């Protein structure tokens, strides 16, 4: 049985440079508005006043996210044409010959991983750089990160090495799809179910 693959993200090392996002976009030549990997800035907090003294209790951090090739990919479940499927190694892919562009997968995925390419007329998404993996290379996003905040491999090995945290705010409830993702949280990271912050770069993601 093939090992199920996934991603690791070290949030403590990410400075929001978006090199991973740019490398993905460049490699796959996706059009404007189609970003298989995105970097989200999450900010929030408050100020406490004690007389004339104001003490900040604020936070801001980044999350690099793409398709998580989930254990229970809801995109595959809702696809009416079986265009979305999951390989033996857990990687979720799109068959353009079957896809009719209905976008059900896009609406269902809590990570917005499948994205409609209007130029092509069908859904597209991260396939964990299958062509690179076939020749022993890392996915483009992993090698592009200057602070080495990204890693990939068998999800069981990633969990053994880095832990089992699957989500921090603003990522969704991990029980929805059981993502093949491990996160080392930023020191100020909020729980996934804490709505105290907001996405600062919403127009980008």
């Amino acid at each position: 049985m093939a090992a199920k693959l996934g991603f690791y993200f070290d949030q403590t090392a990410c400075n929001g440079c978006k090199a991973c996002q740019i490398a993905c976009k460049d490699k796959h030549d996706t059009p404007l508005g189609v970003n298989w990997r995105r970097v989200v800035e999450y900010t929030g907090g408050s100020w406490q006043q004690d007389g004339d003294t104001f003490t900040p209790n604020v936070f801001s951090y980044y999350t690099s996210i793409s398709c998580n090739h989930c254990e229970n990919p809801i995109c595959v479940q809702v696809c009416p044409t079986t265009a979305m499927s999951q390989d033996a190694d857990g990687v979720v892919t799109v068959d353009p010959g079957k896809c009719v562009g209905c976008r059900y997968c896009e609406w269902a995925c809590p990570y917005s991983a499948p994205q409609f390419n209007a130029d092509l007329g069908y859904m597209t998404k991260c396939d964990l750089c299958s062509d690179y993996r076939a020749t022993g290379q890392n996915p483009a996003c992993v090698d592009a990160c200057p602070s080495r905040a990204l890693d990939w491999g068998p999800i069981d090995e990633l969990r053994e090495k880095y832990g089992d945290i699957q989500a921090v705010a603003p990522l969704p409830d991990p029980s929805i799809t059981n993502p093949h993702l491990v996160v080392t949280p930023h020191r100020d990271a909020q729980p996934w179910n804490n709505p105290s912050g907001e996405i600062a770069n919403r127009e980008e993601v």
Side-chain angles (χ1 to χ4, degrees), residues 31-106:
L32 184 67
V34 177
N35 298 308
W36 296 353
R37 179 168 285 279
R38 301 164 307 284
V39 178
V40 182
E41 181 180 358
Y42 193 66
T43 64
S46 61
W47 293 79
Q48 294 179 337
Q49 182 177 0
D50 184 11
D52 294 331
T53 302
F54 291 84
T55 304
N57 182 25
V58 297
F59 59 84
S60 182
Y61 55 84
Y62 300 96
T63 302
S64 176
I65 193 72
S66 71
C67 177
N68 296 304
H69 306 287
C70 304
E71 186 67 27
N72 301 306
I74 195 169
C75 59
V76 173
Q77 297 168 22
V78 302
C79 179
T81 67
T82 69
M84 302 288 293
S85 63
Q86 190 168 37
D87 299 340
D89 57 9
V91 175
V92 177
T93 58
V94 184
D95 182 344
K98 293 181 178 180
C99 180
V100 295
C102 69
R103 306 178 78 158
Y104 286 179
C105 57
E106 178 184 5

Side-chain angles (χ1 to χ4, degrees), residues 140-181:
C141 59
V142 173
D143 276 347
C145 179
S147 57
R148 296 297 178 256
L150 290 171
D151 197 3
W152 74 284
I155 189 60
D156 289 342
E157 293 181 13
L158 294 178
R159 287 170 179 159
E160 183 177 354
K161 184 176 181 180
Y162 299 113
D164 59 3
I165 296 176
Q166 296 176 294
V168 296
L171 297 180
D173 180 353
S175 70
I176 298 172
T177 62
N178 190 12
H180 286 175
L181 174 69

Side-chain angles (χ1 to χ4, degrees), residues 10 21 27 115 154 163 174 184:
D10 183 356
Q21 179 176 317
K27 178 188 183 299
Q115 298 189 11
T184 294

